[in-house]
Amino acid sequence: MKEAFSHIRTWVFDLDNTLYPPHMRLFDQIEDRMVAYVMAILGVERAEADKLRREYWHAHGTTLAGLMAEHDIDPEPFMVDVHDIDFTVLAPDPTLRARIEQLPGRKIVYTNGSAPYAENVLQARGLSGLFDATYGVEHALYRPKPEAAAFERVFGLDGLEAASAAMFEDEGRNLEVPHAMGLRTVHVSTVPDPMPYIHHHTDDLSGFLAQVLD
């Protein structure tokens, strides 16, 4: 495993359900707040709002992108509202921190959430100060992963070289463009994705990094 990553000098980490495990259920809170937001701005019942949330995620990459495309909403109030959640459900992980810290080169976070939200998650996980940069969807001008334009914008801002970078991501579809760009891709999920643009799969990020470092 170590040899497969010996050329990597930039380590790109998604945030939600990647730098914390899904069983902590943090994103459930965000989904609930997204449903409430859709109900409020569109004047629909909860069931319809939840249906739209899921449909927009599938069709546009994120619920926000769908709301912007279909209803021309202002993204900033949405991002502030849906990320107003309880972060105490997250627990610090000193072992994960130590393993990320040992990785050679730069470490960055790239999320479809906002950068301030990402910093709150990192703080709750005991990962603050560990990363060289944190990029949110606002850095991609609210274009979400998996859009190629989003990756091009963020990776361009960062100046990373794709051929010497790796990306860790819980959404398999978000790895197709990085793979095409030349990054090594790692799907972090309890459900393996057999798509050819995924080089590696793990359901334990910390354990996987231990193998990379071994």
Side-chain angles (χ1 to χ4, degrees), residues 46-65:
R46 176 170 294 276
E48 177 65 14
D50 192 39
K51 177 172 174 284
L52 289 172
R53 176 188 66 78
R54 287 181 278 108
E55 287 179 351
Y56 289 161
W57 179 85
H58 281 290
H60 298 276
T62 61
T63 300
L64 172 60

Side-chain angles (χ1 to χ4, degrees), residues 124-141:
R125 288 287 279 158
L127 303 176
S128 291
L130 186 58
F131 295 93
D132 296 280
T134 301
Y135 299 101
V137 69
E138 66 270 34
H139 291 99
L141 306 179

